[in-house]
Amino acid sequence: MVNERLLKKNILQLKYLNEDHDECVEIFNDAKREFDNIVKKLHYDLNSYDEVLDDSDNVRKKRLASEEIEKEVLNNKANPDWAKKLYRKIVVITHPDKLPDGLNKAVKDSLVNKYQCTINAMCDSDFSEIILIASDLGIDLCNLDESYIEVFNSKIKKMNESISKIKCSIYWVWKYASDEKKDAIIQEFIKSRGWTSSEAMRKKSRPGSAQHPGKSIAWARKLSIKDKK
Protein backbone atom coordinates (compact mmCIF):
# COMPACT_ATOMS: atom_id res chain seq x y z
CA MET A 1 0.00 0.00 0.00
CA VAL A 2 1.34 3.39 -1.00
CA ASN A 3 1.98 6.01 1.68
CA GLU A 4 -0.56 8.64 0.57
CA ARG A 5 0.96 11.42 2.69
CA LEU A 6 4.45 10.83 1.27
CA LEU A 7 3.06 10.55 -2.26
CA LYS A 8 1.21 13.86 -1.92
CA LYS A 9 4.37 15.50 -0.56
CA ASN A 10 6.43 14.16 -3.48
CA ILE A 11 3.86 15.34 -6.02
CA LEU A 12 3.75 18.86 -4.57
CA GLN A 13 7.55 19.04 -4.39
CA LEU A 14 7.97 17.95 -7.99
CA LYS A 15 5.27 20.33 -9.22
CA TYR A 16 7.07 23.20 -7.51
CA LEU A 17 10.40 22.13 -9.05
CA ASN A 18 8.79 21.87 -12.49
CA GLU A 19 7.47 25.43 -12.22
CA ASP A 20 10.81 26.69 -10.89
CA HIS A 21 12.66 24.88 -13.67
CA ASP A 22 10.34 26.24 -16.37
CA GLU A 23 10.88 29.78 -15.08
CA CYS A 24 14.66 29.29 -15.03
CA VAL A 25 14.62 27.89 -18.57
CA GLU A 26 12.60 30.88 -19.79
CA ILE A 27 15.06 33.34 -18.20
CA PHE A 28 17.98 31.31 -19.55
CA ASN A 29 16.59 31.26 -23.11
CA ASP A 30 15.87 35.02 -23.09
CA ALA A 31 19.39 35.75 -21.86
CA LYS A 32 20.89 33.33 -24.38
CA ARG A 33 19.06 35.00 -27.28
CA GLU A 34 20.29 38.42 -26.14
CA PHE A 35 23.86 37.17 -25.69
CA ASP A 36 23.88 35.23 -28.98
CA ASN A 37 22.63 38.23 -30.95
CA ILE A 38 25.48 40.35 -29.62
CA VAL A 39 28.01 37.58 -30.26
CA LYS A 40 26.80 37.02 -33.84
CA LYS A 41 27.08 40.73 -34.62
CA LEU A 42 30.60 40.83 -33.18
CA HIS A 43 31.52 37.71 -35.14
CA TYR A 44 30.31 39.42 -38.31
CA ASP A 45 32.01 42.74 -37.56
CA LEU A 46 35.35 41.16 -36.67
CA ASN A 47 35.12 38.83 -39.69
CA SER A 48 37.02 36.10 -37.84
CA TYR A 49 36.74 32.34 -38.26
CA ASP A 50 35.01 30.28 -35.55
CA GLU A 51 34.35 26.59 -36.21
CA VAL A 52 31.23 26.55 -34.02
CA LEU A 53 29.54 29.45 -35.82
CA ASP A 54 30.96 28.97 -39.31
CA ASP A 55 30.40 25.20 -39.35
CA SER A 56 27.02 25.39 -37.62
CA ASP A 57 25.31 22.89 -39.94
CA ASN A 58 27.79 20.14 -39.12
CA VAL A 59 27.55 20.87 -35.41
CA ARG A 60 23.75 20.77 -35.56
CA LYS A 61 23.75 17.41 -37.38
CA LYS A 62 26.08 15.88 -34.79
CA ARG A 63 23.87 17.17 -31.97
CA LEU A 64 20.72 15.75 -33.55
CA ALA A 65 22.41 12.38 -34.08
CA SER A 66 23.43 12.33 -30.42
CA GLU A 67 19.87 13.15 -29.31
CA GLU A 68 18.45 10.32 -31.43
CA ILE A 69 20.89 7.83 -29.89
CA GLU A 70 19.99 9.01 -26.38
CA LYS A 71 16.26 8.72 -27.10
CA GLU A 72 16.75 5.18 -28.46
CA VAL A 73 18.52 4.16 -25.26
CA LEU A 74 15.75 5.62 -23.13
CA ASN A 75 13.07 3.87 -25.15
CA ASN A 76 14.71 0.51 -24.56
CA LYS A 77 14.34 0.77 -20.79
CA ALA A 78 11.73 -1.52 -19.22
CA ASN A 79 8.59 0.30 -18.11
CA PRO A 80 7.26 -0.63 -14.62
CA ASP A 81 3.81 -2.23 -14.55
CA TRP A 82 2.28 0.58 -12.50
CA ALA A 83 3.41 3.11 -15.14
CA LYS A 84 1.84 1.06 -17.92
CA LYS A 85 -1.43 0.84 -15.99
CA LEU A 86 -1.49 4.58 -15.34
CA TYR A 87 -0.65 5.21 -18.97
CA ARG A 88 -3.66 3.19 -20.13
CA LYS A 89 -5.97 4.97 -17.68
CA ILE A 90 -4.72 8.38 -18.80
CA VAL A 91 -5.14 7.51 -22.48
CA VAL A 92 -8.75 6.38 -21.91
CA ILE A 93 -9.53 9.86 -20.52
CA THR A 94 -7.40 12.04 -22.80
CA HIS A 95 -7.18 10.33 -26.20
CA PRO A 96 -8.51 12.79 -28.84
CA ASP A 97 -10.68 10.08 -30.43
CA LYS A 98 -12.31 9.25 -27.09
CA LEU A 99 -13.29 12.79 -26.09
CA PRO A 100 -17.05 13.49 -26.17
CA ASP A 101 -18.54 15.79 -28.79
CA GLY A 102 -19.43 19.29 -27.67
CA LEU A 103 -16.67 19.38 -25.06
CA ASN A 104 -15.50 22.88 -24.10
CA LYS A 105 -12.55 23.83 -26.33
CA ALA A 106 -10.32 24.85 -23.41
CA VAL A 107 -11.01 21.57 -21.63
CA LYS A 108 -10.48 19.59 -24.83
CA ASP A 109 -7.16 21.33 -25.56
CA SER A 110 -6.01 20.66 -21.99
CA LEU A 111 -6.84 16.95 -22.24
CA VAL A 112 -5.20 16.60 -25.65
CA ASN A 113 -2.11 18.31 -24.27
CA LYS A 114 -2.03 15.87 -21.34
CA TYR A 115 -2.36 13.01 -23.81
CA GLN A 116 0.65 14.23 -25.80
CA CYS A 117 2.64 14.84 -22.61
CA THR A 118 1.85 11.28 -21.51
CA ILE A 119 3.12 9.88 -24.82
CA ASN A 120 6.31 11.93 -24.52
CA ALA A 121 6.81 10.91 -20.89
CA MET A 122 6.55 7.21 -21.74
CA CYS A 123 8.96 7.62 -24.66
CA ASP A 124 11.44 9.34 -22.33
CA SER A 125 10.83 6.90 -19.45
CA ASP A 126 9.79 9.89 -17.33
CA PHE A 127 7.48 7.94 -15.05
CA SER A 128 7.24 10.70 -12.45
CA GLU A 129 5.49 12.83 -15.08
CA ILE A 130 3.01 10.00 -15.62
CA ILE A 131 2.17 10.15 -11.91
CA LEU A 132 1.73 13.94 -12.01
CA ILE A 133 -0.63 13.74 -14.99
CA ALA A 134 -2.62 10.94 -13.39
CA SER A 135 -2.89 12.99 -10.18
CA ASP A 136 -4.16 16.02 -12.12
CA LEU A 137 -6.83 13.82 -13.72
CA GLY A 138 -7.95 12.41 -10.36
CA ILE A 139 -6.83 8.87 -11.17
CA ASP A 140 -6.41 6.58 -8.16
CA LEU A 141 -2.72 6.15 -7.29
CA CYS A 142 -3.13 3.64 -4.46
CA ASN A 143 -1.81 0.75 -6.55
CA LEU A 144 1.68 2.20 -6.97
CA ASP A 145 4.47 0.05 -5.58
CA GLU A 146 7.46 1.39 -3.68
CA SER A 147 9.57 1.69 -6.84
CA TYR A 148 7.82 5.00 -7.52
CA ILE A 149 9.77 6.55 -4.63
CA GLU A 150 13.08 6.01 -6.42
CA VAL A 151 11.53 7.43 -9.59
CA PHE A 152 10.57 10.61 -7.73
CA ASN A 153 13.89 10.88 -5.93
CA SER A 154 15.75 10.51 -9.22
CA LYS A 155 13.61 13.15 -10.96
CA ILE A 156 13.87 15.59 -8.04
CA LYS A 157 17.65 15.20 -8.02
CA LYS A 158 17.78 15.67 -11.78
CA MET A 159 15.62 18.82 -11.63
CA ASN A 160 17.72 20.34 -8.85
CA GLU A 161 20.92 19.63 -10.78
CA SER A 162 19.44 21.17 -13.92
CA ILE A 163 18.34 24.33 -12.07
CA SER A 164 21.77 24.61 -10.46
CA LYS A 165 23.48 24.19 -13.85
CA ILE A 166 21.31 26.90 -15.41
CA LYS A 167 22.06 29.35 -12.60
CA CYS A 168 25.80 28.71 -13.01
CA SER A 169 25.72 29.28 -16.78
CA ILE A 170 27.26 32.30 -18.49
CA TYR A 171 23.80 33.29 -19.76
CA TRP A 172 22.36 33.44 -16.23
CA VAL A 173 25.32 35.50 -15.03
CA TRP A 174 24.91 37.72 -18.11
CA LYS A 175 21.23 38.29 -17.38
CA TYR A 176 21.86 39.74 -13.93
CA ALA A 177 25.19 41.47 -14.61
CA SER A 178 25.74 45.23 -14.70
CA ASP A 179 26.50 46.88 -18.06
CA GLU A 180 30.17 47.08 -17.09
CA LYS A 181 30.23 43.40 -16.20
CA LYS A 182 28.48 42.49 -19.46
CA ASP A 183 31.18 44.30 -21.43
CA ALA A 184 33.84 42.40 -19.50
CA ILE A 185 32.08 39.08 -20.21
CA ILE A 186 31.92 39.86 -23.94
CA GLN A 187 35.61 40.78 -24.06
CA GLU A 188 36.53 37.61 -22.20
CA PHE A 189 34.35 35.59 -24.59
CA ILE A 190 36.04 37.09 -27.66
CA LYS A 191 39.43 36.38 -26.11
CA SER A 192 38.51 32.78 -25.26
CA ARG A 193 37.30 32.13 -28.82
CA GLY A 194 40.49 33.63 -30.28
CA TRP A 195 38.58 35.87 -32.67
CA THR A 196 41.22 38.57 -32.65
CA SER A 197 44.09 36.18 -33.35
CA SER A 198 45.81 36.38 -36.74
CA GLU A 199 45.02 32.70 -37.37
CA ALA A 200 41.28 33.22 -36.95
CA MET A 201 41.31 36.24 -39.25
CA ARG A 202 43.35 34.44 -41.92
CA LYS A 203 40.96 31.48 -41.96
CA LYS A 204 37.84 33.59 -42.51
CA SER A 205 38.96 35.80 -45.41
CA ARG A 206 35.68 36.87 -47.02
CA PRO A 207 34.77 40.05 -48.91
CA GLY A 208 31.32 40.43 -47.37
CA SER A 209 28.44 42.54 -48.69
CA ALA A 210 28.53 46.13 -49.87
CA GLN A 211 27.86 47.22 -46.30
CA HIS A 212 30.58 44.94 -44.96
CA PRO A 213 33.81 44.99 -47.00
CA GLY A 214 35.50 42.39 -44.80
CA LYS A 215 38.23 42.88 -42.25
CA SER A 216 40.44 39.81 -42.43
CA ILE A 217 44.14 40.23 -43.06
CA ALA A 218 44.06 37.77 -45.97
CA TRP A 219 41.22 39.61 -47.71
CA ALA A 220 42.93 42.97 -47.32
CA ARG A 221 46.07 41.49 -48.86
CA LYS A 222 44.15 40.07 -51.82
CA LEU A 223 42.37 43.38 -52.40
CA SER A 224 45.69 45.23 -52.35
CA ILE A 225 47.24 42.89 -54.95
CA LYS A 226 44.16 43.23 -57.17
CA ASP A 227 44.32 47.05 -57.06
CA LYS A 228 47.99 47.02 -58.07
CA LYS A 229 47.17 44.99 -61.18
Side-chain angles (χ1 to χ4, degrees):
M1 177 67 70
V2 66
N3 184 326
E4 293 186 21
R5 185 172 178 275
L6 178 60
L7 176 60
K8 183 177 181 180
K9 179 181 177 181
N10 285 334
I11 288 174
L12 291 174
Q13 184 178 4
L14 193 51
K15 282 185 174 181
Y16 169 79
L17 279 174
N18 280 337
E19 291 179 4
D20 191 22
H21 185 266
D22 288 345
E23 183 180 357
C24 287
V25 168
E26 185 177 353
I27 293 172
F28 174 91
N29 288 336
D30 287 343
K32 185 177 185 301
R33 277 191 293 270
E34 180 185 353
F35 186 86
D36 286 350
N37 287 336
I38 293 173
V39 165
K40 287 176 183 177
K41 185 177 185 306
L42 284 171
H43 175 251
Y44 178 80
D45 290 342
L46 290 171
N47 195 21
S48 58
Y49 176 80
D50 188 300
E51 63 180 358
V52 174
L53 294 176
D54 295 309
D55 298 334
S56 57
D57 287 341
N58 291 333
V59 173
R60 184 177 63 83
K61 289 175 183 177
K62 290 179 182 178
R63 183 164 58 247
L64 288 174
S66 176
E67 289 172 356
E68 290 300 321
I69 292 172
E70 182 179 359
K71 186 173 285 293
E72 184 177 342
V73 171
L74 289 172
N75 288 341
N76 286 333
K77 289 184 178 180
N79 297 336
D81 288 339
W82 57 261
K84 295 177 183 177
K85 291 177 182 178
L86 286 181
Y87 170 79
R88 296 189 189 99
K89 290 179 180 179
I90 293 171
V91 168
V92 167
I93 298 173
T94 63
H95 195 289
D97 294 340
K98 299 181 182 295
L99 297 178
D101 295 333
L103 191 65
N104 178 277
K105 186 179 185 302
V107 175
K108 181 177 181 180
D109 289 345
S110 176
L111 291 173
V112 171
N113 180 62
K114 281 183 168 56
Y115 169 76
Q116 190 57 56
C117 288
T118 302
I119 299 295
N120 294 339
M122 287 298 287
C123 287
D124 293 339
S125 298
D126 187 359
F127 306 125
S128 61
E129 183 66 17
I130 298 293
I131 295 176
L132 293 185
I133 294 172
S135 174
D136 287 342
L137 293 171
I139 295 173
D140 185 11
L141 300 173
C142 292
N143 292 324
L144 296 178
D145 61 44
E146 291 187 357
S147 67
Y148 94 85
I149 297 176
E150 179 58 33
V151 168
F152 264 87
N153 288 340
S154 177
K155 182 63 178 291
I156 288 170
K157 180 182 178 181
K158 181 179 178 181
M159 295 295 285
N160 279 321
E161 288 175 348
S162 180
I163 291 171
S164 178
K165 185 177 180 180
I166 288 172
K167 291 185 176 181
C168 289
S169 69
I170 186 174
Y171 305 115
W172 189 274
V173 174
W174 167 269
K175 177 69 176 179
Y176 295 103
S178 63
D179 290 342
E180 182 179 356
K181 183 66 175 177
K182 285 182 177 180
D183 288 338
I185 291 173
I186 286 294
Q187 294 305 316
E188 186 62 30
F189 177 85
I190 292 174
K191 182 180 177 181
S192 69
R193 299 305 302 175
W195 286 2
T196 54
S197 69
S198 58
E199 177 64 19
M201 300 183 81
R202 278 199 303 271
K203 277 188 173 183
K204 189 69 177 180
S205 183
R206 59 174 165 77
S209 64
Q211 292 77 26
H212 188 279
K215 295 184 179 180
S216 71
I217 294 173
W219 174 251
R221 187 180 297 115
K222 290 176 184 178
L223 187 61
S224 175
I225 293 173
K226 183 177 179 181
D227 288 342
K228 289 179 180 178
K229 291 181 179 180

